Amino acid sequence: MSNTTDPKELPGADPKTGERAIDPVSGYDTTGHDWGGITELNTAFPKIVIWALIVTHVYAVIAWILLPAWPTGNSYTPGLLGLDQGEQAIEGYQNLTDNRQNWMSRFESAEFAALQSDDALMAVAMPAASRLFADNCAACHGTNGEGGPGFPALTDNAWLWSGDPEEIALTLHHGINTEDPDTRYAEMPAFDWMDRSERASLAQFVADLPDGSVDLESPAGILFTENCSSCHGEAGEGGLEIGAPSLTDTSVIYGQDVDTVMATLKQGRMGVMPAWSGRLSEAEINLLTVYVARLGDDAGDPQ
């Protein structure tokens, strides 16, 4: 018995002659399949695809021979080239470290004026400083140092101590309100002992300080003088030596509306800035110092 299919039984074939319909445009015969009015042609498989398959298979065989490829239990075939991605990664990291050390060693000295005046050094160092800031500081101070509720902005000229690089470095080294023996201390005590009416009067006075519409001789002004001026200054201008913020500008960490000031007076405030000595190297701290000092370079005087 023959297994040859009768041409007359093939899809699309004329049942009498066994011939398929010919596409009048291309001249190819058709398969008999119709896809929504589109007739499928009986064309040969593209040669370019065949060659592409051949090339890729040949490349795969060559790659298996030259490169690490086949697993052999706990290891793998190393290939004739003996390449190792782990070793390449370590070598690349070492090259980056060596190149970085060429300029990073400059920051082991805290000669900030000389460092800041070296434009070529700043061009290389500041991108690395930006990444260092993002990794260690941005979670609190914001991606661009813009600050947020409870965390001071670093992009203006309003500082709790000073914007001088030496003072910034000191804060980075020892932190604020930490266990470091040389930490800076900044604490706003609670005035919950004060009558609520007095706290409300004092809160309104503090809220009005930025626009200058206060009277220091008023009952609220006297309350301020007796209870707040020893830290914040006679007119609320702040005290850099003890980290007391100015109350006369808009650079307020927690807010200076009446409700927020009332909460501050009732419960007090004490933020924490971690000490970075022991976490970062001396050079990294100095690099961050220069970066933070430059964040406010374009800022005007605090309003």
Side-chain angles (χ1 to χ4, degrees), residues 43-51 53:
T43 58
F45 200 68
K47 291 184 178 180
I48 189 172
V49 176
I50 295 175
W51 279 107
L53 291 173

Side-chain angles (χ1 to χ4, degrees), residues 136-161:
N136 297 282
C137 313
C140 294
H141 292 286
T143 303
N144 300 310
E146 68 276 11
F151 302 102
L154 305 175
T155 54
D156 55 31
N157 288 327
W159 297 88
L160 291 182
W161 282 274

Side-chain angles (χ1 to χ4, degrees), residues 167-249:
E167 294 295 331
I168 296 173
L170 192 62
T171 303
L172 286 170
H173 273 290
H174 306 295
I176 303 171
N177 297 326
T178 69
E179 296 180 356
D180 187 293
D182 296 316
T183 188
R184 293 190 186 277
Y185 289 99
E187 182 175 0
M188 164 74 184
F191 285 79
D192 51 351
W193 52 267
M194 186 181 286
D195 289 341
R196 190 180 189 287
S197 60
E198 290 181 319
R199 290 202 307 271
S201 176
L202 187 55
Q204 186 64 61
F205 180 88
V206 172
D208 292 339
L209 273 172
D211 60 24
S213 61
V214 296
D215 180 4
L216 291 173
E217 302 299 326
S218 66
I222 295 173
L223 273 176
F224 182 88
T225 300
E226 293 177 346
N227 296 279
C228 312
S229 62
S230 58
C231 292
H232 292 285
E234 294 183 1
E237 68 275 11
L240 291 180
E241 295 81 6
I242 57 175
S246 169
L247 303 175
T248 60
D249 54 45

Side-chain angles (χ1 to χ4, degrees), residues 117-139:
S117 64
D118 190 332
D119 293 337
L121 177 62
M122 291 297 98
V124 175
M126 286 303 98
S130 177
R131 291 189 292 272
L132 191 64
F133 182 90
D135 290 341
N136 297 282
C137 313

